Amino acid sequence: MKLNIKDKFTAALPADPILENTRRQVSKACFSYVLPKQTAKPELLHASPEMLKNLGLSEADSKSEAFLNVFTGNKVLNDTTPYAMCYGGHQFGNWAGQLGDGRAINLFEVEHDTKNWALQLKGAGETPYSRTADGLAVLRSSIREYLCSEAMHHLGVPTTRALSLALSGDRVLRDMMYDGNSAYEKGAIVCRTAESFLRFGNYQIFAARQDNETLKTLVDYTIKHHFSHLGEPSKTTYIKFFKEVSNRTLDMIIHWQRVGFVHGVMNTDNMSILGLTIDYGPYGWLEGYEYGWTPNTTDRQHKRYRYGNQPNIGLWNLLQLANAIYPLVEDAEPLEAILNQYKTDFDKKLLNMMRSKLGFQIEDENDQKLIHELEDILHQTETDMTIFFRNLSDFKIENASEGLGVIHDAFYKSDEVVGNIEKRWNDWFQNYAERLKKETISDEERKEGMNTVNPKYVLRNYMAQLAIDDADKGDYKLIDELFKMLKKPYDEQPEYQKWFAKRPDWARHKVGCSMLSCSS
Ligand code: AMP
Ligand code: MG
């Protein structure tokens, strides 16, 4: 196994001088050195062929003893110095102070094909930032992160990636629903990868401690290594940097809205500075199209991180980042202007995204109204988002009266689509047909275009749960099947047709399917 190893992060940034693995507040440092825990009986369950290639590794490498040992933390490669990052964050709207990599240990960076990858083990044991927890991860949440992050990549959504999924062989105690019923579960380790794992919280922690010197060091580092096209660090560059983070964050969230992904815990420590989807916890996929839906039971009361609120939360989080870098800019006006621009862009980009889902290439002034009416009817009865938009591409302008039939499979309770609701649907399809007549492309061309933005296959909550249930019994075939299918989410893939189906009834209220906690 040969890797082109780099250590840019640790070489350039201040380290915590304390080397013991004790829980503590760490000041004036971006990270602490820490070694991963030895595991009882590591076993590799899956490796991503695409990520292997990105790192310059072969399939044979992934089957080696060295691979297993390095990516479960049992062997530290020579000349590498694993570390945990220091960051803070706002959790559910409140400043939570120091958080940090409590169960993530960065191994090293790899440069390959002009790309830089940071590699990090999730669940490899405690760190100085573990606070009251154990630094471990269970199999169910590891399968969810492994499958979903690779699936998101293939959907075209910016995201951290995953290299490998392994069992640790250790048992991990978890109270899954926080109801006093703790049980042992299988421990697992995901090796995840990204150009960088820096989060909004990495900057916030220094601002909160009035440590402007380390703040500047870290922002300058970020610009030099990840935003070098913006030029040398200066006040103007910091503003451009914030502008780009704002754009990337919004673009990522528009993608989430497009595919029906609900992150579930958009705390500022879970917001990547590169605009990548990061920290797959109690995330979920919309089944019924519902603005108010959140998969996260911890958020059930206020639903702060519900589907329809994600773009607003992105803005709220960016405001916290603006506050954090303000000491370097010392001028609120340009930062406020960028935040205001986010609001304008948000409306425009959301509208254009919805246009693409409906197959519109040109812009019409009445599109907003047509889309609002659609969203309103979609909320009247439970309607499967993925099936609705995928099947909509079969709509024919000349057969507007058959529109309802085209998307009928998307209804969970089709007997509710009667009376006024049925009339509204039929009216909407008439208006949709009229609107489509303004386009110049054929039905067939429109279908082709729509099928590149409306996925046929997403990692439905119950699908991940089925893979988890099998894996718990030692059967990993479904992990591989879903992994392969989700590589081509926009393709018809008739061999996987059974996964193009509504959530089965048994999954409606099942833990892990519709309800997820942060316990992982
Ligand atoms: P998150 O679930 O990503 O919002 O995590 C919030 C904070 O809790 C982060 O600092 C995590 O590193 C930390 N954390 C979550 N789970 C564990 C765990 N099992 N052991 C140690 N730290 C954890
Ligand atoms: Mg997190």
Side-chain angles (χ1 to χ4, degrees):
M1 188 168 75
K2 218 172 146 23
L3 289 160
N4 181 22
I5 288 175
K6 300 280 164 188
D7 64 348
K8 292 182 193 153
F9 190 88
T10 45
L13 294 167
D16 173 8
I18 303 175
L19 297 178
E20 283 101 296
N21 192 356
T22 50
R23 289 147 208 238
R24 56 184 176 267
Q25 292 293 307
V26 172
S27 60
K28 293 195 179 310
C30 293
F31 64 93
S32 307
Y33 290 111
V34 63
L35 291 175
K37 180 177 174 285
Q38 298 292 306
T39 72
K41 195 170 174 293
E43 185 187 341
L44 186 72
L45 301 186
H46 211 273
S48 161
E50 294 75 27
M51 260 323 298
L52 286 168
K53 208 162 148 232
N54 287 337
L55 298 172
L57 293 175
S58 65
E59 293 272 341
D61 285 327
S62 73
K63 298 193 168 67
S64 68
E65 199 61 24
F67 185 94
L68 175 70
N69 284 329
V70 170
F71 296 115
T72 52
N74 286 289
K75 184 178 186 317
V76 173
L77 288 177
N78 286 343
D79 303 323
T80 67
T81 49
Y83 60 96
M85 287 192 201
C86 179
Y87 55 78
H90 280 86
Q91 297 184 311
F92 297 94
N94 304 305
W95 176 245
Q98 179 182 300
L99 297 167
D101 284 334
R103 56 148 166 200
I105 297 182
N106 298 273
L107 293 179
F108 43 76
E109 294 161 66
V110 169
E111 204 178 276
H112 185 70
D113 276 350
T114 71
K115 271 197 154 167
N116 191 72
W117 297 95
L119 280 78
Q120 159 174 115
L121 301 181
K122 189 165 174 181
E126 59 190 84
T127 77
Y129 308 96
S130 295
R131 296 176 296 152
T132 58
D134 56 12
L136 303 174
V138 293
L139 180 58
R140 66 183 148 81
S141 63
S142 305
I143 292 174
R144 285 169 49 82
E145 168 137 16
Y146 181 77
L147 285 178
C148 197
S149 60
E150 285 298 280
M152 290 282 269
H153 168 73
H154 294 294
L155 281 163
V157 185
T159 179
T160 61
R161 304 282 305 267
L163 171 67
S164 59
L165 166 69
L167 284 171
S168 63
D170 294 309
R171 296 193 313 159
V172 176
L173 190 62
R174 286 289 180 271
D175 181 357
M176 185 160 56
M177 295 316 289
Y178 301 126
D179 58 3
N181 291 314
S182 293
Y184 279 103
E185 299 185 43
K186 291 181 186 179
I189 297 170
V190 169
C191 175
R192 53 182 189 176
T193 62
E195 182 187 321
S196 164
F197 287 102
L198 284 166
R199 305 140 188 271
F200 290 9
N202 287 82
Y203 308 86
Q204 285 185 283
I205 190 76
F206 299 120
R209 290 168 172 170
Q210 278 113 44
D211 178 1
N212 292 347
E213 191 190 331
T214 319
L215 173 69
K216 183 172 184 317
T217 307
L218 182 62
V219 172
D220 289 357
Y221 171 88
T222 311
I223 292 172
K224 180 169 173 216
H225 291 277
H226 306 291
F227 295 81
S228 57
H229 54 281
L230 299 180
E232 289 299 312
S234 69
K235 283 192 183 175
T236 332
T237 313
Y238 298 143
I239 295 164
K240 286 191 205 156
F241 164 65
F242 183 66
K243 172 79 193 157
E244 186 163 336
V245 177
S246 171
N247 286 345
R248 289 196 195 192
T249 302
L250 177 57
D251 288 344
M252 169 187 77
I253 296 173
I254 299 284
H255 278 294
W256 292 357
Q257 304 307 99
R258 172 174 66 81
V259 298
F261 175 82
V262 187
H263 183 285
V265 208
M266 291 177 73
N267 292 334
T268 57
D269 54 304
N270 291 338
M271 297 296 293
S272 144
I273 201 72
L274 299 180
L276 307 173
T277 312
I278 191 172
D279 277 13
Y280 290 83
Y283 69 81
W285 291 84
L286 278 196
E287 277 151 346
Y289 190 79
E290 192 188 327
Y291 267 42
W293 188 71
T294 174
N296 184 356
T297 49
T298 314
D299 193 24
R300 195 159 31 187
Q301 201 186 353
H302 301 292
K303 295 194 192 312
R304 177 180 174 86
Y305 298 140
R306 63 191 183 273
Y307 172 67
N309 206 31
Q310 295 190 121
N312 291 324
I313 291 294
L315 179 61
W316 192 90
N317 288 341
L318 283 162
L319 170 61
Q320 309 315 314
L321 180 65
N323 284 334
I325 65 163
Y326 174 78
L328 306 184
V329 179
E330 290 180 307
D331 183 5
E333 205 269 338
L335 298 174
E336 278 165 9
I338 292 166
L339 293 169
N340 284 329
Q341 186 65 40
Y342 178 104
K343 290 185 219 163
T344 321
D345 290 349
F346 154 30
D347 289 336
K348 213 167 60 202
K349 289 185 177 179
L350 216 51
L351 175 60
N352 283 337
M353 181 275 286
M354 286 305 287
R355 280 190 175 115
S356 74
K357 287 182 82 67
L358 292 175
F360 301 163
Q361 294 194 328
I362 59 168
E363 295 177 11
D364 186 89
E365 53 179 2
N366 292 320
D367 287 347
Q368 184 74 269
K369 202 168 145 242
L370 189 73
I371 289 163
H372 272 163
E373 173 63 6
L374 171 63
E375 292 186 323
D376 211 54
I377 331 174
L378 282 170
H379 279 87
Q380 300 299 311
T381 58
E382 197 180 5
T383 314
D384 193 271
M385 178 184 183
T386 306
I387 297 180
F388 174 81
F389 283 102
R390 188 72 185 189
N391 284 356
L392 187 65
S393 68
D394 284 326
F395 181 79
K396 305 274 184 295
I397 297 180
E398 296 311 319
N399 299 339
S401 59
E402 285 163 33
L404 204 44
V406 168
I407 55 93
H408 205 263
D409 272 354
F411 295 127
Y412 279 88
K413 297 177 194 133
S414 53
D415 56 340
E416 288 180 2
V417 188
V418 288
N420 191 43
I421 297 178
E422 188 179 15
K423 181 178 177 317
R424 281 178 72 182
W425 271 118
N426 284 325
D427 290 349
W428 187 82
F429 279 112
Q430 289 300 335
N431 293 332
Y432 183 48
E434 286 311 310
R435 169 63 182 81
L436 287 175
K437 285 180 190 160
K438 298 183 179 170
E439 299 285 332
T440 53
I441 52 170
S442 67
D443 281 342
E444 209 35 57
E445 285 167 317
R446 184 178 70 251
K447 174 174 171 149
E448 225 170 88
M450 287 170 77
N451 285 355
T452 64
V453 288
N454 298 321
K456 178 163 177 180
Y457 301 103
V458 295
L459 184 61
R460 288 172 182 271
N461 313 310
Y462 82 90
M463 287 161 44
Q465 190 56 39
L466 288 175
I468 290 165
D469 291 343
D470 281 1
D472 256 334
K473 295 180 214 128
D475 179 353
Y476 311 113
K477 287 193 296 294
L478 193 49
I479 294 178
D480 189 55
E481 176 174 337
L482 295 178
F483 187 94
K484 287 195 173 118
M485 174 182 82
L486 294 167
K487 273 188 214 181
K488 294 181 184 145
Y490 301 102
D491 288 6
E492 284 301 318
Q493 303 192 83
E495 67 275 28
Y496 294 125
Q497 189 68 23
K498 70 168 175 183
W499 298 116
F500 182 63
K502 281 172 290 206
R503 171 201 61 228
D505 228 26
W506 59 259
R508 181 178 290 270
H509 301 297
K510 186 170 154 53
V511 172
C513 296
S514 59
M515 288 181 284
L516 290 137
S517 76
C518 288
S519 153
S520 53

